[in-house]
Amino acid sequence: MRHIRSNASFLALLLAVAAAWLPGADDAGSKALVTADWLSKNLTNPTLRIIEVSVDPGVYEKGHIPGAVNVRWHSDLVDTVRRDIISKEGFEKLASQAGLTPETTVVLYGDNNNWFAAWGAWIFTVYGHQDVRLLDGGRKKWELDKLPLDTIAAAPKATTYQAKAANGALRARLSDVLAVVEGKDKAGLLDIRSPDEFNGKIFAPQGVQELAIRAGHIPGAKNVPWGKAVNQEDGTFKKPEDLKKIYADAGIDGSTPTVVYCRIGERSSHTWFVLTRLLGYPAKQYDGSWTEYGNAVGVPIDNPAGTVWGGK
Amino acid sequence: MSAPASVTPVSCTLAGVLFFLGLGSSWYLAGSADFGPRQAFQVLAGLALGVVLQRSRFCFQCHLRDLLAPADGRRDSTGTVALLVALALGLLGTSIVLGAWIVDPSRGHLPPIAHIGPVGWHLLVGGATFGLGMALSGSCISAHLYRLGEGALVTLPALFGVVLGFGLGFASWNWFYVSGIVVAPVWWLPALTGGYGLAVLIQLGVLAALAWWLLGWRRAPEAAPSSDGRTAVLTAVFVRRWPAWVGGAAVAVIGTVTLLRGDALGVTAGIGALARQLSDVAGLLPVRLEGLDGFRGCRSATGEGLLSTNLFFVSALVLGSASAALTAGQFAWRVPPWREAVLALIGGILLGFGAMISLGCTIGVLFSGIAASAVSGWVFAVAMLVGLWLGLLLRYGRGQWKDPLRAPGIES
């Protein structure tokens, strides 16, 4: 009898473990991420849709995770005329073509440690999609694990997807940032660029154009480069307790909302994802970022290096 | 002037050493930290293309010249039909691959990697310049590369000229870009016709009609010398020139598989990147090349540094050709007379300039472009033919098509 009961409880345990791995049935901690191993065993799971958003959109055709749909960050996720994220109608069209329903578990991944996959996750969240996750380690981890790649573009059956109105609470505008700088609003500012950009020594990192005519950072911002959140060897996120410490050292503990920004406004989504989804902290993404702030007329900046664009 | 070519145990051993050097490099690259399977595969593809080009003498200039301005005065369309075979099979293979990537061409996305370029008058300038350069230098860039593997030293001033020509191209790119390329439409036939079927049928129809028309000038191939089975096959594969159409078909196959592995066939991206870095060092490069790196084609982007993937491909091509030439007894150091060397240099400059402005050459824009159903490939082809015709007239004069250059020991 006892033997049977222990067997039964073992079975129950097994079921519980299995249930924890099923999308939509797990706890908040892992609701943000899936592992490469798990994803490789769930490629045909009908409740999933895998979406690649890579900095280099052409990398998809050279081999992608089987079944994944390609989304191009510079044309599919933005309004190419206004400097804005994609419109609600545009997003609905995109999601319909990707065969999504509001219940679909969306797993995003991409190159460069999920930089723009995280940005995709932010936009999906802005338009109210419920279950949005990242593949931990993105393309890098998948390739390191030598998991299979496919070159056939997925052609999912189109749906009619209805998005929610854009959630403005996830997005900071220049006026919101200025309110923080002027002390009218209480929030933390987090700059995720390199220390040299933050300190105004350089205007842009190597290999990219200088887009702002001033160097430095938003007054009061703290600097935690995005890369501190990942394990360099495989691109996976660090453990939540390590992440907590990294951001606590910069004075960010989730007690007040944090506004994250970078240079052109996409990369900071990576840190936005860490703060909101892995640590549960309130955070907004300032997608105008330094390209807007550093060029805005009549706003205060902090430039410790004292560089002047065009030379002193 | 030239050393006699022959098959000896030494040449065969050397051929084997070179071929295994290529295979070994591929194996090394596959496991190296800085490179990987992409470069390893490109080395294999380059070796294969080198062997194919050398064995079949697949050369745009030579094939077209046999039709337009034959050295012995008798037109022969065999080679030109082989070019059409390459285009037709390349078109089929590439369309099969692209159909897997872009399921619905009407949605507005262009397939990545495939060489679909802007269509504008710059292609007329670039194509005609390139054609002129082919006639003056003796061949296009891919053929110069395989002839380098045969020991033809005339290719050295030509390739040096190509690098110079690229430099001139970079120096004038911004003017071309602002004056036209920026508003030039990027036309992809399947997007215009609403699907692959019609686009492929139309192009195959044009190629078939051209082939049918040109077959009127076809000369019967020489009969193979009779010998027993094994020797006949070995000789046919390793010594005798492959039928031209076999070369065309093989180029199409290599083009399709390289595309499948993430790189369209092209031979100028690596040389272009090299020229770009040299121009930069020499201070000749504009501070910014407007819009250049956003286009598809033989991109000269310098992101990969000096050792670009395409440079591995091109080097392996030379290695493959040398190995095939040594086996066939067709390798010989050939020193050109100074007049030919000067012509090769001038022709090379025109080739490089034309390839830079057009974002590729006869392989990158013409072959890979038409294979991908790009209108840019067709426009380049027409302009190149005009330039080549003019160049042949200039070089050989009308009615007396004699070639002082034709290498001894190589029938072509």
Side-chain angles (χ1 to χ4, degrees):
Chain A
M1 208 45 204
R2 192 181 160 76
H3 183 66
I4 290 169
R5 200 181 301 140
S6 75
N7 262 357
S9 59
F10 180 66
L11 199 67
L13 183 73
L14 265 184
L15 280 173
V17 169
W21 279 116
L22 282 174
D26 44 11
D27 63 328
S30 61
K31 223 174 150 59
L33 296 174
V34 300
T35 64
D37 182 52
W38 181 87
L39 187 61
S40 69
K41 290 172 185 139
N42 281 272
L43 293 175
T44 53
N45 186 331
T47 64
L48 277 188
R49 176 71 67 217
I50 309 166
I51 295 179
E52 170 154 357
V53 188
S54 278
V55 177
D56 172 4
V59 81
Y60 173 87
E61 282 78 6
K62 300 182 188 181
H64 52 260
I65 296 180
V69 170
N70 193 24
V71 169
R72 298 145 186 95
W73 70 274
H74 66 296
S75 57
D76 290 341
L77 290 175
V78 290
D79 184 320
T80 52
V81 180
R82 292 160 59 105
R83 191 190 165 193
D84 209 343
I85 62 169
I86 189 175
S87 65
K88 178 167 173 273
E89 294 70 37
F91 180 79
E92 284 175 339
K93 194 169 160 221
L94 183 80
S96 301
Q97 286 175 354
L100 302 187
T101 68
E103 292 75 39
T104 309
T105 297
V106 170
V107 176
L108 295 128
Y109 78 98
D111 59 4
N112 279 50
N113 290 93
N114 280 334
W115 274 6
F116 290 3
W119 186 61
W122 176 66
I123 289 179
F124 270 82
T125 313
V126 164
Y127 282 115
H129 195 82
Q130 278 303 309
D131 195 355
V132 180
R133 308 178 193 208
L134 286 182
L135 164 64
D136 200 10
R139 186 174 256 282
K140 184 174 183 178
K141 172 77 173 148
W142 189 270
E143 287 177 357
L144 280 174
D145 286 359
K146 297 193 163 54
L147 289 162
L149 294 168
D150 194 346
T151 59
I152 312 285
K157 199 164 173 285
T159 53
T160 309
Y161 185 94
Q162 286 196 318
K164 301 201 173 101
N167 181 359
L170 300 176
R171 192 178 189 192
R173 302 293 190 130
L174 179 61
S175 53
D176 302 327
V177 175
L178 278 174
V180 176
V181 172
E182 290 161 358
K184 294 175 193 155
D185 198 359
K186 200 166 144 39
L189 289 162
L190 180 58
D191 186 320
I192 65 92
R193 296 173 303 157
S194 67
D196 282 351
E197 290 170 275
F198 179 81
N199 289 317
K201 290 181 186 168
I202 56 173
F203 286 76
Q206 273 299 306
V208 297
Q209 311 221 351
E210 295 179 347
L211 291 179
I213 63 168
R214 289 182 298 175
H217 57 263
I218 301 174
K222 297 289 195 293
N223 183 216
V224 182
W226 71 272
K228 293 223 165 147
V230 298
N231 298 306
Q232 289 305 322
E233 61 276 12
D234 63 1
T236 54
F237 288 109
K238 288 181 178 165
K239 289 197 286 272
E241 53 267 33
D242 296 342
L243 292 170
K244 268 191 182 131
K245 186 170 181 318
I246 288 165
Y247 293 104
D249 288 349
I252 290 158
D253 56 10
S255 57
T256 50
T258 303
V259 174
V260 291
Y261 73 93
C262 59
R263 191 178 65 94
I264 57 170
E266 273 92 15
R267 226 174 1 155
S268 47
S269 311
H270 190 270
T271 300
W272 172 85
F273 191 89
V274 172
L275 293 180
T276 58
R277 303 296 309 282
L278 301 185
L279 300 180
Y281 295 174
K284 290 180 181 196
Q285 139 91 343
Y286 172 38
D287 56 319
S289 277
W290 188 252
T291 305
E292 178 183 45
Y293 193 95
N295 283 322
V297 176
V299 303
I301 63 158
D302 192 352
N303 182 354
T307 45
V308 175
W309 190 63
K312 278 188 190 175
Chain B
M1 203 96 85
S2 57
S6 61
V7 192
T8 61
V10 176
S11 74
C12 284
T13 312
L14 197 56
V17 168
L18 289 182
F19 196 76
F20 278 95
L21 186 69
L23 294 183
S25 320
S26 173
W27 178 78
Y28 170 77
L29 288 170
S32 83
D34 297 329
F35 306 102
R38 180 176 170 214
Q39 287 78 11
F41 178 79
Q42 282 288 306
V43 166
L44 296 181
L47 273 179
L49 187 66
V51 170
V52 165
L53 295 184
Q54 199 283 328
R55 297 286 48 246
S56 62
R57 309 284 136 62
F58 189 85
C59 154
F60 279 79
Q61 194 268 353
C62 322
H63 283 343
L64 289 167
R65 201 188 151 205
D66 284 344
L67 181 73
L68 298 173
D72 59 4
R74 291 177 59 208
R75 292 186 196 279
D76 183 11
S77 63
T78 312
T80 305
V81 171
L83 298 179
L84 296 175
V85 167
L87 293 177
L89 295 180
L91 172 65
L92 285 174
T94 303
S95 301
I96 291 166
V97 174
L98 297 188
W101 291 351
I102 300 290
V103 180
D104 180 359
S106 62
R107 272 202 197 158
H109 290 304
L110 284 179
I113 305 158
H115 288 179
I116 304 163
V119 181
W121 56 266
H122 69 284
L123 278 181
L124 301 179
V125 177
T129 314
F130 193 88
L132 199 62
M134 282 164 74
L136 295 189
S137 75
S139 57
C140 60
I141 297 177
S142 58
H144 274 305
L145 291 167
Y146 94 70
R147 286 168 63 200
L148 179 60
E150 290 178 338
L153 295 175
V154 70
T155 57
L156 293 178
L159 291 172
F160 180 66
V162 168
V163 173
L164 290 182
F166 258 93
L168 286 176
F170 290 132
S172 45
W173 167 264
N174 285 350
W175 182 82
F176 278 99
Y177 181 78
V178 174
S179 311
I181 298 173
V182 64
V183 291
V186 178
W187 276 326
W188 185 39
L189 283 170
L192 299 177
T193 59
Y196 291 94
L198 192 57
V200 171
L201 274 181
I202 292 171
Q203 294 175 95
L204 277 184
V206 171
L207 294 170
L210 277 173
W212 182 253
W213 178 53
L214 292 173
L215 280 174
W217 285 279
R218 183 170 176 272
R219 267 201 261 162
E222 308 161 32
S226 60
S227 51
D228 74 87
R230 280 201 189 99
T231 316
V233 170
L234 283 178
T235 317
V237 173
F238 291 107
V239 183
R240 283 176 55 78
R241 180 182 179 175
W242 292 356
W245 68 268
V246 172
V251 167
V253 169
I254 294 171
T256 304
V257 297
T258 53
L259 184 69
L260 201 51
R261 292 295 297 263
D263 287 284
L265 205 60
V267 296
T268 60
I271 300 171
L274 191 71
R276 189 157 159 181
Q277 288 173 72
L278 287 175
S279 312
D280 199 15
V281 171
L284 298 171
L285 208 60
V287 175
R288 196 170 55 203
L289 290 159
E290 305 290 353
L292 177 62
D293 296 337
F295 284 117
R296 302 210 166 90
C298 292
R299 296 175 47 183
S300 50
T302 49
E304 290 186 294
L306 212 56
L307 292 176
S308 61
T309 305
N310 191 250
L311 212 56
F312 282 121
F313 175 76
V314 166
S315 312
L317 193 164
V318 177
L319 215 56
S321 162
S323 157
L326 282 163
T327 316
Q330 287 159 356
F331 181 92
W333 296 113
R334 283 184 278 273
V335 183
W338 69 268
R339 178 177 163 269
E340 302 309 331
V342 171
L343 271 180
L345 177 70
I346 296 170
I349 293 174
L350 296 174
L351 288 176
F353 178 82
M356 196 280 129
I357 296 300
S358 315
L359 303 173
C361 65
T362 33
I363 298 287
V365 176
L366 202 161
F367 170 77
S368 292
I370 291 179
S373 300
V375 176
S376 52
W378 288 96
V379 175
F380 179 87
V382 172
M384 182 215 77
L385 279 173
V386 173
L388 178 65
W389 174 251
L390 283 175
L392 292 172
L393 273 180
L394 248 174
R395 181 161 179 185
Y396 304 110
R398 205 165 181 158
Q400 39 172 338
W401 308 112
K402 289 221 175 67
D403 187 357
L405 267 189
R406 191 138 296 197
I410 298 189
E411 89 282 12
S412 67

